Every structure is written in structure tokens, then in C-alpha cells.
Amino acid sequence: MPQQTIRNQLANKLAAKQERSLLRSLLARTHTDAPTVSAGQLNNATGAPAYRNFSSNDYLGLSQHAEVIAAFQSGIQRWGVGAGASPLVTGYTEAHAALAEALAAWFGVERVILFSSGFSANAGVLHTLRAAGAVPVIDKLCHASIYDGVRGYLGTAERANKAKQGSSEFLRFLHNDYTDLQRQVDNLAFASEDEQEHALIVSEGLFSMDGDGADVAALVAAKKRANGLLMLDDAHGIGVMGQHYRGVFDAPGSKAIDVVTGTFGKAFGMGGAFIATDHLIADSLVNDCRHLIYSTAFPPAQAEALLAALKVIQRGDLQAILQQRVQQFRQLAAEQGLRISAAAANAPIQPIAIGVNELALRFSKALAEQGLQAIAIRPPTVPNGTARIRFTLSALHSEQVISELFAAIADILAVDKELADACTVR
Ligand SMILES: *Cc1c(COP(=O)(O)O)cnc(C)c1O
């Protein structure tokens, strides 16, 4: 009977999601979406198939880049395909160390610690800092991995104790609203006399679903007032944003950020992640972070490929192509009256707001019928009532494909009045 109950529960949950146009499924894409040629060569002149994926985070096309692929291949010749162990056992190689040192030098931080994924890096660093008494104060729109790092961490007794004091395991502030942040930090100080010293302010650098950025200088000021720590997840900014493509590290005041999470799954085109920080926090991660200690290191060949990717990123020519595509996208979208975001002016993330889940799905499906991949983003990934198509631009896109995208959008909206009303400003 219990087995049946559990299965019934699962089935009911899925049925409820289906009802609200929130059911998700895995779709296997074909390799023809990912032509193995370098960015910039992808146009009609080469005869290569055009890149029509507008939902990938491969902003610079490094997953397909010839230099990166060559480095991965020669890395495999040297190391084989796997690390063979977790980092503290024998999984951390000279290839990993070289990558970590190159990143630390580029950012100007003391240390970089590598993780298997951004999800585990965020959850891991938050567990470690929580265990040292930090109370996270989190921007409401932060990524799921940040919430996984702070939820359900306290034991029952500790939780009850906190509840009695009127505080919680973590606090949230309204998105990019630093007045509300200050209010939350003050609440924390009120709940317990010495609590203020432990505030850990958490935000993203470039927000993943909205393409808008945090104000680093304001966050640094807030952390100083709180006498706490500042952690920024810049999964989407590093490699793409900023004068030197270092994301939040290019922002004024960045020296005072305590922890930065970056991932290799976005601009770097592969997978894996890192925490950039100081010696004290790095040593604490190496000694206490279970997500690091008990998880297999990513392959050393991949570390070599990532080092090659870093060199391409530092050159900046792909970012110049990307920026042209972003501006072309925004101009065409504005001409059609689509709801683009002013705050995402230079970002590779360009959401078109729709609102209703079912309409967002319909838009995505209509684009798919024209061979254009642009996935509908629905709750709980974004707040209720804010379903959208989150278009992402890449250096792999040709100018022509972006023109084709907007021709397709014009056709779709011409025959679907309801959808047109939802996603255009008139
Ligand atoms: C993708 C993402 C992560 C997770 O990184 P992975 O390496 O894909 O696990 C964390 N934070 C943000 C903001 C992200 O967008």
C-alpha cells in the first residue's frame, strides 16, 4: 500500500502540472544543431548549417570552437577521459591546478576552487558558510542552486530556536531593491544581537532569466554596513560582460566581493564550475565542503580545454560578434513592438515577456515549427504570471538567422492575435 501511495502522489503531481501548462519533458536534440565549426565561420558562405538554437547558454560558441576542441583532444591523449577520483583523493591534476591559477590571476583573487557543477558549487559554499554562522540574505530572483544551499540545512532544534527568535534560516530581499536589502539586514540585527555580523548577502551578477545586472557597488556598500560577507553568482556574466569580459570582476568595488561563483557551462561552452575567493574561504571549502570533497573531479582533459577556452575569451573577438547580434536582436524586436527589457541592454539574455504559461508554450511551439529553438520559461523557474521566451544570443548566430527569426515571429504574431497582444506593447 505505501508503494501505491507514493506512486499516486507522483502521478497526481504530474497531472496537476499538466493542468497548468507546467509539465516538462526531455527533448533530445540532434547533432545538426551543433555544427562543429568556429564561430564567425558560420554563415552561408561556408555552406555550414545555420545555428538556429536561441535557448543555449553557449554565448560564444566555445562548445564548437576549433582551438578548444583541439585542446580537449590533446588532453585526452595525455590524461585519458576521466579524473578517476574526487579532488582530495587523486582527481585533482596539474591540468586542474593550471586552470585554477590562470583564473585566479585573471580575476585578481587569491584562489579559485573547481567544482563539478555550478549547482554543487553554490550549494556547497553556502553549506560551508552557513555552518560558520552566516545567515544568507538573498535576492528573490536568485537561482535554484542558491536556494538548495540554504534550505533545510539546519537541524530541527536549531530551526525551532531560530523560529523562536523570530528569524529564519535565510532572508530574501526584493529583486535588485537595496532599500529592501537594508531592511532585511536590519531585521536580522534585530532578531539577535550579534546576528548582524553574520549576514551573507547573495545576488547574481547577471540575472539568468532576466538579463539584468546587480549593482555591485551598492551590494558592496550594503555588506560593509552589515559587517558581513558578499557572494555573487555570475554564471552568466563571466566571459561575456564587462570591459575585460570578467563579469562582476570588472565592476567598481569588486575587490570587496568575498565569493564569486562561475560556471563553465555557459560562456566557457563545457561544464563544471568554480568559486573565486580568498585563502581562508578556499581552505574552508577544501576541508569542509562536502559537494567538493565527495564528488568526482571533472576530467583533466576538460581542464585543458577550459584553459584554451579562457585564452579565447581573453581575446575578446567573439564577444564583439555576440554584441553585434544582441544589438541586432534588440533593434528588430523593438521595431516589432515586442516586450524587451531595457535592463538587459547589452546582455546575451533577451527575454520577451508573455505572462501566461500556455501562450509562452504556444509561441515556442510555433517557432519550433519554423526550425527555431526558443524554449518557454515557466514557473517555478520564474515567478508566477511571468512566463516568457528567454532568447539567448550566441556568436554562433549569423546575422541572417536573426533576420529569419524576426520574419518568423512576424508571421506567427500576424495570425495569433492573442499571442501578439500578450507580447507586444501597443
Ligand atoms: C546555470 C546556473 C547555475 C548552475 O551551474 P551549472 O554549472 O549548470 O550547474 C548556477 N547559477 C546560475 C545563476 C546559473 O544560471
Side-chain angles (χ1 to χ4, degrees), residues 73-424:
Q73 285 168 332
S74 70
I76 288 173
Q77 294 307 317
R78 190 167 308 121
W79 297 99
V81 294
S86 58
L88 294 192
V89 181
T90 56
Y92 194 71
T93 65
E94 286 176 345
H96 293 92
L99 171 64
E101 279 162 27
L103 285 167
W106 189 43
F107 298 139
V109 297
E110 288 176 355
R111 296 272 288 283
V112 162
I113 302 291
L114 305 176
F115 283 76
S116 312
S117 76
F119 198 103
S120 63
N122 272 339
V125 73
L126 283 160
H127 275 228
T128 299
L129 297 174
R130 286 283 301 122
V135 178
V137 186
I138 306 172
D139 186 293
K140 280 204 164 169
L141 290 192
C142 276
H143 191 260
S145 53
I146 287 172
Y147 286 104
D148 258 53
V150 298
R151 282 212 174 103
Y153 173 72
L154 296 179
T156 315
E158 217 174 345
R159 201 193 311 254
N161 205 15
K162 281 245 161 205
K164 241 185 272 169
Q165 294 172 8
S167 73
S168 60
E169 298 173 79
F170 63 95
L171 300 168
R172 305 207 294 170
F173 63 96
L174 297 172
H175 176 52
N176 278 352
D177 180 338
Y178 305 124
T179 311
D180 192 46
L181 167 61
Q182 189 58 45
R183 197 176 306 133
Q184 300 303 333
V185 169
D186 292 344
N187 282 345
L188 192 57
F190 179 74
S192 163
E193 270 172 14
D194 59 1
E195 207 85 51
Q196 186 177 14
E197 298 180 7
H198 305 311
L200 168 65
I201 297 170
V202 186
S203 174
E204 291 186 17
L206 183 70
F207 280 84
S208 60
M209 294 298 138
D210 294 75
D212 61 340
D215 181 342
V216 173
L219 287 165
V220 164
K223 93 131 195 183
K224 286 184 174 162
R225 274 197 304 273
N227 193 19
L229 299 182
L230 175 60
M231 167 174 168
L232 293 179
D233 176 352
D234 206 20
H236 293 272
I238 289 171
V240 174
M241 304 299 286
Q243 195 188 348
H244 304 290
Y245 321 112
R246 301 182 309 163
V248 292
F249 287 108
D250 285 341
S254 66
K255 284 268 176 269
I257 308 171
D258 300 281
V259 175
V260 172
T261 311
T263 168
F264 300 128
K266 275 101 196 206
F268 280 79
M270 278 165 269
F274 61 88
I275 299 283
T277 187
D278 54 39
H279 288 306
L280 175 66
I281 294 175
D283 288 340
S284 302
L285 291 173
V286 169
N287 283 277
D288 294 329
C289 179
R290 301 166 68 82
H291 302 65
L292 173 70
I293 298 171
Y294 299 107
S295 187
T296 302
F298 60 70
Q302 188 176 328
E304 296 207 357
L306 286 164
L307 194 54
L310 176 60
K311 289 185 181 139
V312 178
I313 285 172
Q314 288 170 331
R315 287 207 295 261
D317 45 349
L318 295 174
Q319 290 91 334
I321 297 174
L322 174 63
Q323 200 46 236
Q324 286 172 15
R325 301 298 180 263
V326 169
Q327 298 316 325
Q328 183 195 357
F329 179 100
R330 288 182 64 84
Q331 193 191 328
L332 293 175
E335 281 170 14
Q336 292 197 18
L338 290 160
R339 289 184 194 280
I340 52 173
S341 157
N346 299 309
I349 299 164
Q350 293 293 328
I352 303 282
I354 295 172
V356 179
N357 301 334
E358 198 267 325
L359 289 178
L361 277 181
R362 207 152 90 198
F363 199 176
S364 174
K365 232 182 237 166
L367 288 167
E369 277 162 18
Q370 312 249 6
L372 296 155
Q373 282 178 288
I375 304 304
I377 306 285
R378 293 163 286 163
T381 307
V382 293
N384 281 327
T386 71
R388 68 200 69 180
I389 307 285
R390 168 185 178 270
F391 289 93
T392 51
L393 283 304
S394 168
L396 288 174
H397 290 129
S398 66
E399 218 178 308
Q400 183 176 335
V401 156
I402 292 175
S403 301
E404 284 171 20
L405 169 69
F406 282 94
I409 291 175
D411 288 347
I412 292 165
L413 298 187
V415 296
D416 190 335
K417 185 84 176 48
E418 194 186 8
L419 184 55
D421 284 345
C423 67
T424 53

Side-chain angles (χ1 to χ4, degrees), residues 7-26:
R7 291 188 173 281
N8 284 345
Q9 281 285 358
L10 294 173
N12 291 346
K13 278 189 170 180
L14 290 177
K17 277 188 189 285
Q18 170 106 52
E19 186 90 348
R20 298 171 57 208
S21 295
L22 290 176
L23 194 69
R24 289 150 155 83
S25 54
L26 280 170

